[in-house]
Amino acid sequence: MRVSVVIPAYNASSLLGETLDSVSAQLRAPDEVIVVDDGSVDETARIAAEHPAVTRVISRKNGGIAAARNDGIEAATGDLLFLLDADDLWHPIFLQRMVEVMEANPDALSAFARFNCF
C-alpha cells in the first residue's frame, strides 16, 4: 500500500524540522510527504522545501488548518492517508504498525493509536 502523509503548517518554522525528522525516522518510510504552507510569514515553506523527507510543498493563502489539510488530502496519491500536525512527533514504528493494521483489516476505513503528551 502506498502511504501519503499530509502536514498542514502555519508559522511552524520553530517545530517543523523536528516533525519532519520524526517522519524521516520511520522504519516504514512514507511514499509521499506533503506539507501545506497555509500562508506562513516565517520560514515554514523554506524548511519544508529543503527537508529530504518532503516530496511536495503546497503554498496557499492563509485559510486555516482545516482548509490547508483538505488541500493536502486532495493532492495525496497514496492508498493510506496519514495526517500529522506540524508540531507533533511520531514514534519510529508508527507507520509500520499502522500499515500492518490496515493490511490485516482490509475492510477497515480508519485506525487510530494512543498518544503521549510531553
Side-chain angles (χ1 to χ4, degrees), residues 43-116:
E43 296 295 312
T44 296
R46 181 190 59 77
I47 291 167
E50 292 177 357
H51 199 283
V54 176
T55 55
R56 183 171 178 192
V57 177
I58 298 171
S59 296
R60 62 184 313 279
K61 182 179 175 184
N62 181 257
I65 191 169
R69 187 176 285 123
N70 287 341
D71 283 355
I73 290 169
E74 288 180 21
T77 63
D79 303 304
L80 295 176
L81 177 65
F82 293 87
L83 305 175
L84 177 61
D85 288 344
D87 61 350
D88 290 343
L89 305 173
W90 279 343
H91 189 282
I93 63 171
F94 175 76
L95 281 181
Q96 177 182 317
R97 292 276 174 91
M98 294 302 285
V99 170
E100 288 171 356
V101 166
M102 295 305 289
E103 287 176 339
N105 299 279
D107 293 334
L109 298 176
S110 65
F112 64 93
R114 291 186 316 163
F115 65 92
N116 292 319

Side-chain angles (χ1 to χ4, degrees), residues 9-13 36-45 60 62:
Y10 176 72
N11 289 343
S13 63
V36 183
D37 176 32
D38 190 35
S40 299
V41 296
D42 65 1
E43 296 295 312
T44 296
R60 62 184 313 279
N62 181 257

